[in-house]
Amino acid sequence: MDDPRIIIALDYNNSEQALVLAAQLDPKLCRLKVGKQLFTIAGPKLIEKLMQSGFEIFLDLKFHDIPNTVAGACKSAASLGVWMVNVHALGGRKMLLAARQALPIGTTKLIAVTLLTSIGPDDLHEIGLGPTPEQIVRRLALLAHDCGLDGVVCSPLETAYLRTQVDSNFHLVTPGIRPIDASIDDQQRIATPRQAIENGATYLVIGRPVTQATDPLRTLQQLNKEITSVS
Ligand code: C5P
């Protein structure tokens, strides 16, 4: 598989567990996501080890700062050789453009988080934003598109609408994926892998359904089978 659509979230607090899981997976079938918890403890060394095993890495650090600082952080991430990084679209146009300039198209992919899914209407009102989370998500996704980013992170339930607003090369990276027979865990707005791809998702971020499976590789193979039948 040249461009695996599944990104496995390595939500661990130590590199040992991350490496044990990675050793059970196949870089032809997935990429790996390293977030703040794991990166803060394990750092660039872990990224290097995972890449030596053949995996491409989505470094999920959600940069949000003044344009100059975010541009520098993006360059540092790119120097690790990671496949994808992300920033907060709430950082605004100047910050997004600075990040894009730091990562020219065709190098490390640059995507934006729109609004965190943990933010509800009341939280939004409290910080003086509105009117609704959906409208902010749409506005920020279009801003990221306009600034030339490679894509956004969005819930599987937003993908169908966003796909009608952006060109087909714009990546919609979608967490909240649960196979039909899997536990929902703490996710709420979920879709099956097949539904997410049908709605226009480019990449699916999947954590516990694979990391906690008794046979992670077999689960990954089944997930890929399900989505290649639609894509
Ligand atoms: O285990 P699970 O499949 O729920 O993991 C999903 C991953 O996607 C986690 O790393 C989580 O932090 C991330 N994520 C999410 N919802 C968002 C953004 C990121 O679940 N809106």
Side-chain angles (χ1 to χ4, degrees):
M1 202 174 289
D2 291 340
D3 183 20
R5 311 281 289 268
I6 295 179
I7 304 170
I8 303 297
L10 296 180
D11 290 323
Y12 297 112
N13 61 10
N14 61 81
S15 38
E16 291 72 28
Q17 274 180 295
L19 290 167
V20 166
L21 195 267
Q24 297 174 71
L25 300 175
D26 179 347
K28 289 195 209 70
L29 299 183
C30 67
R31 294 180 166 103
L32 302 176
K33 176 171 91 72
V34 175
K36 288 189 175 94
Q37 184 186 20
L38 183 57
F39 190 75
T40 300
I41 201 80
K45 259 202 186 122
L46 173 67
I47 303 295
E48 202 182 313
K49 280 188 189 160
L50 294 169
M51 286 177 26
Q52 275 166 1
S53 307
F55 289 98
E56 291 191 308
I57 307 297
F58 169 20
L59 191 58
D60 177 19
L61 298 182
K62 301 186 180 73
F63 297 134
H64 188 179
D65 210 310
I66 58 170
N68 187 52
T69 302
V70 166
C74 287
K75 280 189 191 152
S76 294
S79 75
L80 300 178
V82 298
W83 167 70
M84 180 184 270
V85 298
N86 57 2
V87 297
H88 271 284
L90 274 168
R93 179 180 293 273
K94 291 195 197 81
M95 193 207 80
L96 294 173
L97 291 174
R100 178 75 287 175
Q101 217 178 1
L103 300 175
I105 292 172
T107 61
T108 297
K109 287 182 191 292
L110 174 65
I111 63 167
V113 174
T114 53
L115 194 64
L116 294 171
T117 42
S118 51
I119 303 232
D122 291 347
D123 303 294
L124 210 56
H125 182 71
E126 192 174 35
I127 56 175
L129 294 179
T132 65
E134 291 72 27
Q135 277 161 304
I136 301 276
V137 166
R138 290 174 185 190
R139 180 187 282 238
L140 291 173
L142 293 181
L143 175 65
H145 186 251
D146 200 40
C147 291
L149 268 66
D150 295 302
V152 288
V153 181
C154 62
S155 104
L157 306 182
E158 280 152 6
T159 44
Y161 172 80
L162 289 180
R163 187 47 81 204
T164 65
Q165 303 296 304
V166 294
D167 55 71
S168 58
N169 295 332
F170 193 69
H171 302 328
L172 299 179
V173 179
T174 309
I177 302 297
R178 286 294 176 273
I180 214 120
D181 52 353
S183 148
I184 289 178
D185 303 309
D186 52 1
Q187 293 283 9
Q188 299 209 1
R189 307 178 71 217
I190 56 165
T192 67
R194 168 184 281 270
Q195 284 164 344
I197 294 288
E198 280 172 351
N199 286 347
T202 319
Y203 298 109
L204 310 181
V205 175
I206 305 180
R208 287 159 290 182
V210 169
T211 59
Q212 297 185 5
T214 33
D215 187 342
L217 180 61
R218 197 173 138 74
T219 305
L220 178 61
Q221 286 164 336
Q222 283 164 345
L223 290 167
N224 270 305
K225 206 167 152 201
E226 178 179 334
I227 59 175
T228 40
S229 64
V230 268
S231 50

